Amino acid sequence: MSEPFVFDPRCDLCKEPFGAAVCGTAVTFHCRPLASEHFSHCALVAVCEFSGTRQELELSLEGPAGERICFSGVFSAPPQPELVWYHFRFWREDGTGCVLDKTGYRSDGETDPWQLTVYRESRTPGWFGAGVTYQIFPDRFCRLSVPNPDGLVGRRWVHQDWDDTPEWRPDPDGEIRNRDFFGGSLTGITSKLDDLKALGVTTLYLCPIFESASNHRYNTADYTKIDPMLGTEDDFRALCAQAKERGMRVILDGVFNHTGSQSVYFNADGWYPTLGAAQSQDSPWYSWYRFLHWPDSYDSWWGIHTLPAVEESAPSYVDFIIDGENSIIRRWLRAGASGWRLDVADELPDWFLVKIRAAMEETAPDSVLIGEVWEDGSNKISYSQRRQYLLGSETHGLMNYPFRTALLAYLRGGDADDFREAMETLRENYPPAAFYSAMNFLGTHDTPRILTLLGTDHTPESKADRADYRLLPWERSRAAAKLRLASLVLFTFPGSPMIYYGDEAGMEGFEDPLNRGTYPWGHEDRDLLAWFSRLGALRNGYPVLQTGALRWLCTAGPLLAFAREDGQVRLVTAVNASDSPCSLELPWAADSAQDLLSGSSFAPDAGRLVLELPPRGCLLLS
């Protein structure tokens, strides 16, 4: 809050409605400076970034309010999606005055304005944000037999031992090519659907499944073909169908910013019999790439030579990926997918995302589009352009890296109020549907394993040492206790809780590829697995955890407590991240309180509930 009680955009005494505004709707502002400041006038100064317009709206002086005076006015949100940056200007009858922005009163000619997100209302599928998502790295989840890599694109080899460490060492040329495979398959995933159902999973998010020369498959070789080591299109259709029979959906990873150099489209090594862009300028795919000097110098993703960047504006590429009757977006939705997660969405043009969303809504109206963005997606700048992911015509939601960053900081000794502030910033900036459709998580294929991060106080310097590193028993015990806290917050917070495969089983590992080991079937951490299963059942069993309003109750040092509310239904998450016991006092109108995690009951006294949380203890109160 700037200048106590003068203006706070999160307080309904100062701004209504809370947060982002729908195009064309009225937003009411109230400012309450001290009467002793002798301000006689106040104006809202609003700058619309996309249209480049500026508006100054003088607020009406409503009169005294105790030791303060109140200025009020109604601002009409622009009719088109916008980012509105606003501050206030105060002045007196003698012409003196100042401005008020996020930093307080100032008269230096600078401003640090507040943000008002203006979005177009559109339909967002409710199933994704309400449910539990499970991310699978297909090669490492479940294999039913050891595959033969002969005759496939890329110089692949297969680990015979499922429990091997993924290959992290460079090859003789000094390159890390990710050509070691373990043989996980789509039929393997299908065989484990009942296990995933028991975990509470409702959405499977699969890392890329299309033909590719590498085990991660983010260097696509053929978008039209399931990688043969994973199976066939029939296997994919069967997976989606059997998942739907269990109330589960499948979303795919779309990598449309770049392809692999060993793809049918680029074909750098001539593996495919057709002419790729690197072989002939007459190739039908030549226009898909930006050559600086053909054929050996071209634009690539982050300068990685094996990942040539595509020219998204090439008409034939747009038709192939999006617009065509049997485009990649449409084809795999028809095959059974229920949505797409867009890899490196911040490197795809806005118009490209708009087209993808439109094609999805035409083909499968209930499908969901999630973007990979690592920051606050409401004001992200990429390639010098402010992005418009969440303004109504692009993604339904984003991967919530800010959630992970803030929660980890809190669990590793930070202040719970910093977590609250980070989340309130998103809640204020995001349209409500986007906030509730965020993909929340503790880890992904791009981050170290959450158990390793929570258990170790240092990172070994060499990759070899990191590859061999395993938590000591006491470190693992500490990490598991913190993981229970983290996962409770994950499963009770707005947005879809996403489990990175194996985190629930106690998998460890530092950075890629050490975080991409094989699922330890038969060797899971049974206590952790039971904990995650319990959380999944609670999330699916209590609609208030899926769609209920968020209310903060306590954010002080190691103590974090918030409620999810829907009418008379209220569940409270309470966490103590400290190594010492902590007391927590909460207002409680009901006659009793029950912890849904342990079954313990508590009796409030005179409308107050006094709790003693043990070290790294937590409750989910009903």
Side-chain angles (χ1 to χ4, degrees), residues 416-466:
D417 200 55
D418 292 334
F419 174 73
R420 179 200 61 81
E421 174 61 26
M423 295 303 96
E424 281 298 271
T425 297
L426 292 187
R427 192 166 75 96
E428 182 181 7
N429 290 348
Y430 282 22
F435 186 73
Y436 280 78
S437 295
M439 181 188 280
N440 300 336
F441 51 85
L442 304 176
T444 73
H445 65 291
D446 286 326
T447 66
R449 286 282 176 178
I450 182 64
L451 201 65
T452 297
L453 286 179
L454 293 176
T456 183
D457 294 323
H458 74 285
T459 300
E461 291 186 9
S462 75
K463 187 99 175 194
D465 288 340
R466 294 196 295 277

Side-chain angles (χ1 to χ4, degrees), residues 50-84:
F50 300 138
S51 67
T53 59
R54 182 180 187 274
Q55 179 180 353
E56 187 160 324
L57 172 68
E58 185 163 357
L59 307 186
S60 300
L61 176 59
E62 290 191 344
E67 62 179 358
R68 298 180 178 274
I69 57 174
C70 184
F71 294 95
S72 298
V74 177
F75 172 76
S76 294
Q80 300 297 325
E82 265 290 3
L83 275 190
V84 179

Side-chain angles (χ1 to χ4, degrees), residues 56-131:
E56 187 160 324
L57 172 68
E58 185 163 357
L59 307 186
S60 300
L61 176 59
E62 290 191 344
E67 62 179 358
R68 298 180 178 274
I69 57 174
C70 184
F71 294 95
S72 298
V74 177
F75 172 76
S76 294
Q80 300 297 325
E82 265 290 3
L83 275 190
V84 179
W85 303 99
Y86 68 93
H87 65 275
F88 299 93
R89 186 168 70 88
F90 292 94
W91 68 99
R92 306 176 182 88
E93 293 297 342
D94 63 4
T96 61
C98 61
V99 301
L100 178 75
D101 66 8
K102 290 166 66 174
T103 65
Y105 288 129
R106 61 193 303 172
S107 55
D108 59 2
E110 300 293 329
T111 58
D112 185 7
W114 288 279
Q115 174 183 327
L116 174 64
T117 304
V118 179
Y119 65 99
R120 179 180 290 110
E121 206 161 28
S122 61
R123 183 179 178 276
T124 295
W127 57 266
F128 177 76

Side-chain angles (χ1 to χ4, degrees), residues 123-128 249-251 329 333-334 336-340 356-370 394-396:
R123 183 179 178 276
T124 295
W127 57 266
F128 177 76
R249 300 177 187 243
V250 175
I251 63 174
I329 291 294
L333 290 175
R334 294 191 187 110
S338 294
W340 288 91
I356 289 177
R357 168 87 172 258
M360 290 174 63
E361 291 181 346
E362 289 174 4
T363 308
D366 201 35
S367 58
V368 70
L369 183 62
I370 303 296
E394 298 185 21
T395 59
H396 294 104

Side-chain angles (χ1 to χ4, degrees), residues 166-186:
E167 183 55 67
W168 53 268
R169 289 162 292 215
D171 64 14
D173 296 327
E175 297 283 346
I176 300 175
R177 299 188 185 275
N178 299 292
R179 300 298 165 82
D180 64 314
F181 287 75
F182 284 83
S185 65
L186 296 181

